[in-house]
Amino acid sequence: MNITPDEFNSLQQENINVFDLRSADEYAHGCLPGAVNIAAAELLASPPDEKDKRVIVYCARGFKSEDTADALCGMGYNACGIKGGYAAWLRAEMKKQNAELKKAEVEQSLRKKFRDRLMKPFTKALKLYKLVNEGDRVAVCISGGKDSMLMAKLFQELKRHSEVNFEVKYLVMDPGYNEENRKLIEANAKLLGVPIEIFETDIFASVYNVTKSPCYLCARMRRGWLYTFAKQLGCNKIALGHHFDDVIETTLMGMLHGAQIQTMMPKLHSTNYEGMELIRPLYLVREDDIKAWRDYNDLHFIQCACRFTDTCTTCNNGENHSKRQETKELIRELKKTNPDVEMCIFRSMENVNIDTVLTYKQHGIKHSFLDTYDTPPEYDGETV
């Protein structure tokens, strides 16, 4: 019987006996933690007295140790070898060290190179819109793309330095990803040191044959599952990875394609899940800066997991996507003559003059400028 190097590393060292069957010279150049150097023949002739402890044996490549472990099992010991031997364990350790180095480099880039472009607008949005407060329990929802993965790392940095006492859970909802996307999400989470919790649904399968507004249905279902699972974990907020560009594109799309003026809010109370709130911590973060962080660290995330993903901006499938892509390209063209056009669109939603609006809705009730047109405005109690 053999175990993998990772399985060995997960064992409690005080509950095992570890024996290195290589030569003394090989042992002197490096060994597993707590290993005792002994020849296979000598170990079989004088096995350990404690049969209640698990015995782990290894050699250079794993061949001799497997036979030795089988012999020990025949003697009544709970013994096993390490698959691939010391060489495999050493490769695993080097890979682990490289992963730790990569994680440290990514985190350092957030503290130094991208502090002004990512960390500052992130914390500014939290303070400006009061997104995270004392005692909150936030479910950071990770889709596997660049935006949500960055958001997870920013929350980790915030937890290290924030004076506000709050908790974070990192959630991945699998709506039916293919195996390749699922593995990539898990690998990136491990690489970046994000302790994700994955729960599975069959949303993609449920909407696959829907012909009318599958994107809308998929988005609603995903949102509902996120609320449900987050609430089960005791969270009162879910954090989504929508960024500054999403906000202004959505605003412009509403005008051009929906005949309405509305924006993507930085936070919303849930109408269906009592006590739950949706927050968007990347509200002030630019997409180009997220891409720069991703490319600087040579990170690779999933792009579009399904043709029904309503926020997809990387494929050519779906009417909703084409409208969003058209809006992106329109803004890009407008920037050529007005470099501040993005901020102008954003600021326009902060500077709405109700006196010049024909009609507007508030709490579902429609109001017209005619309602008060013949009533003189009052200022400081005086009619003007």
Side-chain angles (χ1 to χ4, degrees):
M1 176 183 175
N2 280 327
I3 60 174
T4 67
D6 286 340
E7 288 173 331
F8 169 79
N9 289 333
S10 68
L11 296 174
Q12 295 292 329
Q13 299 299 317
E14 62 269 19
N15 294 325
I16 59 175
N17 283 317
V18 185
F19 296 102
D20 187 320
L21 308 182
R22 299 175 300 156
S23 68
D25 186 56
E26 289 174 308
Y27 176 81
H29 281 85
C31 62
L32 271 65
V36 174
N37 187 219
I38 187 173
E42 184 180 349
L43 175 62
L44 293 176
S46 301
D49 296 330
E50 306 160 300
K51 284 196 173 183
D52 57 328
K53 273 193 174 185
R54 191 173 187 180
V55 177
I56 309 295
V57 294
Y58 69 92
C59 57
R61 301 291 177 182
F63 302 114
K64 182 188 295 184
S65 58
E66 185 173 5
D67 293 338
T68 305
D70 288 342
L72 287 169
C73 287
M75 299 166 64
Y77 290 90
N78 179 13
C80 61
I82 294 180
K83 188 176 182 179
Y86 179 76
W89 178 84
L90 187 59
R91 286 194 300 270
E93 283 298 293
M94 292 174 67
K95 186 176 180 180
K96 179 181 176 182
Q97 290 172 12
N98 288 337
E100 287 296 320
L101 180 60
K102 184 69 173 182
K103 173 176 170 287
E105 290 175 349
V106 169
E107 292 172 351
Q108 184 71 1
S109 73
L110 290 175
R111 299 178 192 131
K112 299 291 184 180
K113 185 175 180 65
F114 293 94
R115 178 178 177 81
D116 291 341
R117 296 157 64 183
L118 295 177
M119 198 71 207
K120 283 188 176 180
F122 170 74
T123 55
K124 181 180 179 181
L126 295 182
K127 294 176 182 178
L128 183 62
Y129 303 117
K130 299 179 181 178
L131 301 183
V132 176
N133 303 307
E134 188 77 19
D136 278 344
R137 192 178 179 93
V138 182
V140 176
C141 302
I142 300 171
S143 66
K146 66 185 189 312
D147 309 325
S148 57
M149 280 295 190
L150 169 65
M151 180 173 64
K153 292 306 297 180
L154 289 172
F155 263 105
Q156 286 186 323
E157 287 297 304
L158 182 69
K159 279 289 292 178
R160 292 189 180 100
H161 307 292
S162 177
E163 296 179 357
V164 177
N165 181 30
F166 69 97
E167 295 183 50
V168 180
K169 291 288 184 179
Y170 301 94
L171 300 188
V172 173
M173 182 195 67
D174 184 345
Y177 292 133
N178 61 43
E179 185 178 357
E180 183 179 349
N181 280 332
R182 172 69 176 258
K183 287 182 177 179
L184 184 56
I185 293 172
E186 293 173 338
N188 277 325
K190 185 177 181 180
L191 176 69
L192 297 175
V194 179
I196 59 174
E197 295 188 40
I198 301 179
F199 68 100
E200 298 178 353
T201 69
D202 60 353
I203 293 175
F204 283 175
S206 299
V207 303
Y208 188 78
N209 293 317
V210 174
T211 57
K212 186 177 180 180
S213 302
C215 294
Y216 174 79
L217 178 60
C218 181
R220 288 296 299 269
M221 292 178 68
R222 285 186 286 121
R223 188 77 55 84
W225 274 108
L226 287 171
Y227 273 126
T228 299
F229 197 74
K231 196 165 186 177
Q232 289 176 3
L233 293 177
C235 297
N236 65 312
K237 294 181 178 180
I238 65 171
L240 302 185
H242 298 117
H243 47 65
F244 179 90
D245 297 67
D246 290 324
V247 176
I248 62 172
E249 289 161 12
T250 299
T251 301
L252 204 53
M253 286 169 64
M255 296 173 63
L256 300 177
H257 302 288
Q260 59 184 345
I261 297 177
Q262 65 178 24
T263 192
M264 183 182 283
M265 297 296 286
K267 64 179 181 180
L268 292 168
H269 286 294
S270 173
T271 55
N272 297 319
Y273 297 85
E274 185 178 357
M276 295 294 291
E277 193 173 1
L278 180 155
I279 62 174
R280 295 183 169 104
L282 300 184
Y283 203 76
L284 302 179
V285 176
R286 302 293 188 100
E287 184 177 23
D288 282 346
D289 292 331
I290 299 175
K291 291 178 179 177
W293 168 80
R294 176 199 63 192
D295 296 341
Y296 176 81
N297 289 290
D298 194 26
L299 298 171
H300 304 276
F301 303 111
I302 67 170
Q303 299 297 316
C304 181
C306 173
R307 64 188 177 95
F308 295 125
T309 305
D310 68 327
T311 55
C312 173
T313 58
T314 56
C315 64
N316 293 316
N317 296 318
E319 181 183 6
N320 189 63
H321 161 68
S322 63
K323 290 178 180 178
R324 183 170 291 276
Q325 190 61 34
E326 287 173 7
T327 306
K328 280 181 174 289
E329 292 169 0
L330 173 61
I331 294 173
R332 191 178 299 118
E333 284 298 312
L334 292 172
K335 281 183 68 176
K336 292 179 180 179
T337 54
N338 180 8
D340 298 323
V341 67
E342 293 166 310
M343 187 54 70
C344 287
I345 297 172
F346 184 84
R347 294 296 185 205
S348 70
M349 302 310 296
E350 296 180 333
N351 297 304
V352 178
N353 187 346
I354 295 296
D355 292 333
T356 66
V357 175
L358 295 177
T359 62
Y360 66 94
K361 287 183 181 179
Q362 187 173 32
H363 306 306
I365 301 174
K366 191 172 184 178
H367 302 272
S368 169
F369 82 103
L370 293 174
D371 296 341
T372 58
Y373 180 75
D374 293 323
T375 303
E378 294 184 1
Y379 299 95
D380 298 324
E382 298 181 6
T383 301
V384 296

